[in-house]
Amino acid sequence: MNKFTDTLVNIGNKLASQRHLQSISAGLMAIMPLTIFGSIFQLISALPDIFPFIPAFSEEVSNAILFPYNVAFGLFGVIAVVAITYYHAGKYDLNKLQAAIISLVAFIVLAAPIEDSTMDATYLGSQGIFLAIFVALISVEIIRFFDIHNIKIKLPDSIPPYVAASFDAIIPMCVIVGGFYGLSLICQQCTDMLLPAWIISILSPAIEGSESLWFCMLMAFIIAFLQFLGVHGFNAVSGVILPLLIANTAENAAAYAAGETAIKIFTLPMFQMSGVFCYVVPLLFLVCCKSERLKSMGKISIVPAVFGIAEPIQYGAPIMYNPILGIPWIAFYTINMGLVWCCMNFGLVNKAVIAASSNIPMPIFQYLCTLDFRAVIMFVVMFAISVVIWYPFIKAYDKQCLKEENNAE
């Protein structure tokens, strides 16, 4: 059993420390404030839907309110390619600014070619996220190849370093931008599609598979299980699922802004809705436990828990390598993820259309993400299920802690 556990820990650590996945995760996490910024204006535009007594905005006013949102969500791909390149180049100690500029130029050439003096911005936003990842990682690897082999324009030592650095980027830029442009022309000739559209078509089975119940529950199980083993579960898998979460979130947001029906279930807000752990466990520690240690832990963690901060109780209880609390930790997260999926899939709750901050207290968070009062009922049901799952295990752990305290005395 120990060998199996060690193997899983090693796999989780390797995933969490794999430089390409780390760069994708860090780059996409860097644009999360942009998501929240755009969602603020989306919420403002939705005020007549939230409060019926507010008259509906005119089309001109609505467009003016949504302008920052359209800018933020419309540049997802552009900012993602810069952020991912920046972090990935940093892992090789390359010039991060030069690498980001090269990747950005290559991305725009691929995503928004100019035809008849017009630039199509379709793939500069969330639909270009997968292209941004591809361009950022490949560009940095090519730049690294030139750097390792010292392939650059040689200048006299008297030239200032910042001037020489700009000349160092000329050869990689010509190769990368020219190579990607040639690849784009070949793709258009052979498939009659732009490269980002072709990438999406290739990934469509995976994108569609991410909408299934089994995938959502599997991701929840893996994250919770890795967390139990001491590995940051979300960090370990974020390089794989975060592009899907952000792309789907942006698609739903765009559908809502256009007055259409959102269709994606597997979104970032949906993934965060099942996190009622930090509300349930501190409350049970305070109300049901006799152990002074657990009562104190409940008091310490109750205020952070209101704002969705679970680390005090998660690491203070602790959850890691604690079989008594590890079982409900994995079970509740997986079951609640399945419950959220079922509610959205069967139309019991609207799909998430706004990427509100996860630090907003629940169930306000659920309501703001879905603009559906039924999401509050869903939270109450999740809370009740979580209490049922956690209660017997917390009572058993309380007895163990109380016995240890009595022995110590």
Side-chain angles (χ1 to χ4, degrees):
M1 185 63 183
N2 290 335
K3 185 177 180 180
F4 175 70
T5 302
D6 291 341
T7 301
L8 291 177
V9 171
N10 290 334
I11 293 174
N13 284 329
K14 286 181 179 179
L15 285 174
S17 60
Q18 208 284 326
R19 62 167 62 99
H20 296 85
L21 293 179
Q22 274 189 335
S23 299
I24 295 171
S25 177
L28 294 181
M29 289 301 292
I31 68 174
M32 292 310 298
L34 183 72
T35 306
I36 297 173
F37 168 77
S39 298
I40 291 173
F41 293 92
Q42 193 180 18
L43 275 173
I44 295 173
S45 71
L47 286 178
D49 296 332
I50 300 174
F51 303 107
F53 58 85
I54 297 178
F57 298 126
S58 66
E59 184 177 353
E60 292 78 9
V61 172
S62 180
N63 290 338
I65 294 172
L66 286 174
F67 177 75
Y69 154 79
N70 290 327
V71 171
F73 280 71
L75 294 177
F76 261 5
V78 173
I79 298 173
V81 73
V82 172
I84 295 170
T85 302
Y86 179 88
Y87 283 105
H88 199 47
K91 294 187 179 301
Y92 294 128
D93 292 325
L94 300 172
N95 187 313
K96 293 180 282 191
L97 178 60
Q98 292 291 351
I101 292 173
I102 293 172
S103 292
L104 177 60
V105 174
F107 174 79
I108 293 176
V109 166
L110 292 172
I114 298 176
E115 294 183 5
D116 300 326
S117 301
T118 302
M119 175 183 286
D120 184 358
T122 301
Y123 297 104
L124 296 182
S126 59
Q127 294 191 54
I129 284 182
F130 299 106
L131 175 67
I133 294 171
F134 173 74
V135 170
L137 298 182
I138 296 298
S139 297
V140 172
E141 295 298 334
I142 293 175
I143 294 171
R144 181 178 178 236
F145 174 85
F146 282 104
D147 183 69
I148 290 174
H149 294 85
N150 199 29
I151 302 174
K152 62 181 70 172
I153 297 176
K154 302 294 193 299
L155 295 175
D157 295 337
S158 59
I159 300 297
Y162 65 89
V163 176
S166 63
F167 278 87
D168 291 344
I170 291 177
I171 295 178
M173 179 176 287
C174 291
V175 172
I176 293 169
V177 176
F180 276 130
Y181 180 59
L183 181 62
S184 178
L185 293 177
I186 293 172
C187 181
Q188 293 177 58
Q189 185 67 30
C190 297
T191 65
D192 200 28
M193 291 188 292
L194 291 177
L195 186 61
W198 182 76
I199 291 175
I200 291 176
S201 68
I202 294 297
L203 296 177
S204 60
I207 296 173
E208 293 173 4
S210 68
E211 289 290 290
S212 65
L213 174 62
W214 72 266
F215 183 83
C216 293
M217 294 185 69
L218 177 63
M219 288 299 103
F221 175 83
I222 291 174
I223 290 172
F225 190 61
L226 290 176
Q227 202 82 38
F228 168 71
L229 297 178
V231 179
H232 198 297
F234 186 77
N235 283 355
V237 301
S238 61
V240 177
I241 67 172
L242 200 53
L244 292 170
L245 292 172
I246 292 179
N248 290 343
T249 301
E251 183 174 335
N252 278 7
Y256 175 76
E260 301 171 356
T261 302
I263 61 173
K264 295 296 184 180
I265 297 176
F266 189 63
T267 61
L268 190 59
M270 175 267 185
F271 213 70
Q272 297 166 331
M273 283 182 186
S274 59
V276 299
F277 158 79
C278 53
Y279 293 84
V280 172
V281 176
L283 185 62
L284 290 178
F285 277 4
L286 282 173
V287 175
C288 303
C289 292
K290 298 179 180 179
S291 165
E292 288 299 323
R293 183 171 75 86
L294 296 185
K295 278 185 172 294
S296 298
M297 186 57 58
K299 293 176 182 177
I300 293 171
S301 58
I302 194 70
V303 174
V306 172
F307 300 98
I309 301 173
E311 281 75 10
I313 197 73
Q314 186 175 330
Y315 296 105
I319 302 298
M320 294 181 299
Y321 292 101
N322 185 342
I324 299 177
L325 298 184
I327 293 173
W329 163 257
I330 296 170
F332 107 94
Y333 193 42
T334 307
I335 291 172
N336 280 349
M337 185 66 71
L339 175 64
V340 174
W341 186 93
C342 289
C343 288
M344 291 184 174
N345 183 68
F346 296 111
L348 302 178
V349 174
N350 290 345
K351 298 175 179 65
V353 294
I354 294 177
S357 171
S358 59
N359 296 121
I360 296 174
M362 296 182 180
I364 300 174
F365 170 75
Q366 277 86 346
Y367 171 69
L368 291 179
C369 290
T370 60
L371 299 179
D372 187 348
F373 278 110
R374 294 175 297 178
V376 177
I377 300 175
M378 181 182 69
F379 169 81
V380 173
V381 173
M382 283 193 298
F383 188 92
I385 291 175
S386 300
V387 169
V388 171
I389 293 173
W390 278 98
Y391 180 78
F393 293 93
I394 287 179
K395 289 299 291 183
Y397 190 53
D398 180 48
K399 290 181 180 180
Q400 177 181 311
C401 293
L402 190 62
K403 182 179 180 181
E404 293 173 356
E405 291 173 6
N406 292 334
N407 291 338
E409 291 177 0

